[in-house]
Amino acid sequence: MDRPDMPILIGEKGKKVGYVIFLFLILVFLGLRFFYIEADFPQDITRSGALYTDEGWYSNGAVAFALSGNWYIPGDFNPSVNLPVVSLIQTAVFSVFGASLDTARMTVAVSFCLPVFLVYFLVRHFSDRVTAGLVAGLLSTNYILFSFSRLAILDIPALTIALSAITVTAINPKGKSRTFFALSTLLFAVALLAKSAVLILFPVYLLTLVTGKGWSLKEKLIYGFTALIIVGVLVGGYNYYARSIFPEDYRLFTQLNFSGRISRDLSTIAGDLVGGAKRVLRLEPALVLLSFIFSWRQWRRSPDFRRDPLVRISVLWVVGHLIVMSMTSYHPPRYFIALSIPMTILLVQVGMDLRKKASGSVRTLLPLIMIFLLVGWNGYRVVDYMVKPFYSLHFMCEDVNRIISEDRTAGGSSVLIGHMANTVGLATGLPTINSLYGTQSLSWKMAEYAPQHYISLGEEEAKKIWKRTLG
């Protein structure tokens, strides 16, 4: 038999006031990410060169459309062929607010706020508002999520769309509404066309689809296979179309992102699994350790915890994510940021499960104490970053734009070439060409676009271009 709830130390009015204050703080921290949006990414998370390339690459089609009315650049790197959704969103946003790095980053920042609310409603569907509020509080103050939500990358918008699909299917009344079902499958297909990596979340979507609906096994199988078929037809149909219209661009993107990164032997997969786990631990050590230790302990001791739908969904999310990541040797930090959501849910669920059965001892309240300490520590890191932002990328782009503008006045070309040129173009509005990736050779691009200026990430990039040119 469950133990009685802890003694109530504050009245109902005090609880409501505290809850409102907590929600206000959530909104404050969500809003902070919109300030100083042009500032550099924090230096203590990653030193990857992707910080200077990916924003421009995946905004390239939308920027080209804003400059010329044509999103496709012949011979260049055109990732919008394979992943069109975010590019379409950016094209719409750029048409209203103008094409710029700030606008692209603002779009992602807005799209991050939606997952926080979506997760709130998802948790609220299976649990109470206090649990949902604590999860939202941890996510809104999470320093890693805060940092990546200020980059114009595909991961956050794709995660938002996938979470929309999961939330829609969770709140589907008794699972019988065909409209909810059709909308959720359509959203998940769109999420896959925003970024293929959200395929990791499809088992989570299916589990949410069949959880708590009171269906028979036959109904679960029918709905599950129907969802699989619909998503497969929509995504497969688009990919067939894209490959038939732009075969070289489609093949290039596939080779860069799939063919060259997939692990095939067991020893490599095991090594990649360990490497992925280490990457997650380095990225968010406190959240990972607390979530794992408390969840494992509670899983062994509490049948209610094991039966909890949110716990099962979160465990499937974490395990599935790590298994899929073990299939590839490419482990950039942004590939693991989505794991913050299930680990946060698990930690909060442990705390709330213990609270329901607690006797009021510090030991049983420890997870909740750790949650508030995490909120405080992450909030401090966010504020500390905001009071002393750096703008090295912003000033560098301004300098490049000034140099090219002076040469253009003297009759020179305004086209900039380089592996990170697309990001500079996003920040300045300059036409750009990628020096390393594309369906045509570097010499072809030089002859076709006649760029007068080259920008480099350094010696390593030069080696890659030289090797590709000789090969």
Side-chain angles (χ1 to χ4, degrees):
M1 181 180 294
D2 292 346
R3 297 178 184 176
D5 288 347
M6 290 184 300
I8 298 176
L9 302 179
I10 55 177
E12 289 301 319
K13 185 176 180 179
K15 287 183 179 181
K16 290 180 180 179
V17 171
Y19 191 73
V20 170
I21 293 174
F22 194 69
L23 289 180
F24 174 74
L25 289 175
I26 290 173
L27 294 176
V28 168
F29 276 96
L30 287 177
L32 280 177
R33 69 198 67 241
F34 293 97
F35 292 90
Y36 311 123
I37 197 73
E38 70 277 11
D40 292 348
F41 189 83
Q43 298 179 358
D44 57 347
I45 295 177
T46 177
R47 296 178 181 271
S48 171
L51 297 176
Y52 304 101
T53 56
D54 288 29
E55 290 185 286
W57 290 352
Y58 295 106
S59 301
N60 198 26
V63 173
F65 187 84
L67 293 177
S68 65
N70 188 359
W71 65 270
Y72 183 78
I73 305 173
D76 201 27
F77 185 43
N78 292 286
S80 298
V81 169
N82 295 65
L83 302 174
V85 172
V86 177
S87 185
L88 288 171
I89 294 172
Q90 288 183 333
T91 298
V93 173
F94 289 171
S95 68
V96 177
F97 299 102
S100 70
L101 182 60
D102 291 0
T103 304
R105 288 182 172 181
M106 284 283 189
T107 305
V108 174
V110 169
S111 74
F112 173 79
C113 294
L114 293 177
V116 175
F117 293 112
L118 288 169
V119 172
Y120 176 90
F121 287 117
L122 181 65
V123 174
R124 185 70 184 86
H125 178 74
F126 291 107
S127 189
D128 57 78
R129 69 174 186 173
V130 175
T131 303
L134 287 174
V135 171
L138 272 172
L139 293 178
S140 63
T141 57
N142 186 295
Y143 180 62
I144 302 299
L145 291 177
F146 171 85
S147 302
F148 279 100
S149 70
R150 291 161 54 85
L151 284 180
I153 55 178
L154 303 179
D155 304 73
I156 299 295
L159 176 62
T160 300
I161 302 169
L163 278 173
S164 299
I166 293 170
T167 305
V168 166
T169 195
I171 64 176
N172 185 357
K174 296 184 180 180
K176 300 298 183 181
S177 172
R178 294 181 180 179
T179 302
F180 276 73
F181 178 71
L183 178 60
S184 68
T185 53
L186 176 61
L187 283 170
F188 206 94
V190 172
L192 284 169
L193 295 177
K195 188 172 180 66
S196 306
V198 297
L199 182 62
I200 293 169
L201 288 177
F202 194 65
V204 176
Y205 167 78
L206 291 178
L207 180 59
T208 309
L209 176 67
V210 301
T211 297
K213 306 292 195 304
W215 289 345
S216 66
L217 177 60
K218 181 180 178 181
E219 287 177 312
K220 291 179 179 180
L221 291 174
I222 290 174
Y223 274 94
F225 277 112
T226 302
L228 180 63
I229 291 169
I230 292 174
V231 172
V233 168
L234 292 174
V235 176
Y238 174 80
N239 277 270
Y240 177 80
Y241 169 79
R243 186 172 56 185
S244 62
I245 303 298
F246 304 100
E248 293 183 351
D249 298 273
Y250 184 91
R251 189 180 307 111
L252 172 66
F253 187 87
T254 302
Q255 289 173 347
L256 290 174
N257 290 276
F258 298 103
S259 304
R261 294 177 177 172
I262 302 299
S263 305
R264 292 179 172 84
D265 60 276
L266 291 178
S267 61
T268 304
I269 289 174
D272 289 337
L273 178 61
V274 173
K278 288 181 178 178
R279 178 65 66 123
V280 177
L281 186 59
R282 285 198 299 268
L283 193 62
E284 295 223 60
L287 178 60
V288 171
L289 289 175
L290 289 173
S291 178
F292 177 78
I293 292 170
F294 286 126
S295 297
W296 176 251
R297 179 180 179 275
Q298 197 66 4
W299 181 275
R300 293 176 59 193
R301 296 188 176 191
S302 173
D304 290 340
F305 185 77
R306 292 195 296 270
R307 287 193 294 263
D308 191 304
L310 277 174
V311 171
R312 292 183 175 185
I313 289 169
S314 300
V315 169
L316 178 63
W317 186 335
V318 173
V319 173
H321 197 118
L322 291 177
I323 288 175
V324 173
M325 284 295 98
S326 71
M327 304 296 179
T328 174
S329 57
Y330 185 59
H331 295 149
R334 67 181 185 276
Y335 277 21
F336 298 96
I337 57 176
L339 282 177
S340 298
I341 295 174
M343 289 190 295
T344 296
I345 293 174
L346 285 171
L347 180 58
V348 173
Q349 284 297 98
V350 171
M352 298 307 293
D353 190 60
L354 285 173
R355 177 184 176 275
K356 292 174 185 176
K357 305 171 183 180
S359 58
S361 67
V362 174
R363 180 178 60 82
T364 55
L365 292 177
L366 189 57
L368 287 176
I369 295 171
M370 292 295 109
I371 288 170
F372 283 103
L373 288 176
L374 270 179
V375 169
W377 170 241
N378 277 285
Y380 165 76
R381 295 180 75 188
V382 169
V383 173
D384 182 62
Y385 166 77
M386 293 297 291
V387 297
K388 48 184 179 183
F390 293 93
Y391 298 91
S392 61
L393 176 64
H394 174 75
F395 291 139
M396 181 273 291
C397 290
E398 283 189 342
D399 288 342
V400 171
N401 190 36
R402 176 182 52 79
I403 293 169
I404 294 180
S405 295
E406 292 173 354
D407 284 359
R408 184 168 48 196
T409 303
S413 169
S414 62
V415 178
L416 176 68
I417 192 168
H419 199 43
M420 66 172 294
N422 297 139
T423 297
V424 178
L426 175 61
T428 61
L430 293 168
T432 59
I433 297 295
N434 192 299
S435 58
L436 188 58
Y437 296 152
T439 57
Q440 295 291 345
S441 65
L442 179 60
S443 58
W444 185 94
K445 293 176 185 178
M446 296 294 291
E448 179 69 18
Y449 297 104
Q452 296 296 308
H453 298 87
Y454 169 73
I455 188 167
S456 172
L457 275 171
E459 183 180 350
E460 193 62 33
E461 178 187 329
K463 289 179 180 177
K464 288 181 180 179
I465 295 175
W466 181 249
K467 181 179 179 181
R468 187 172 287 253
T469 303
L470 291 178

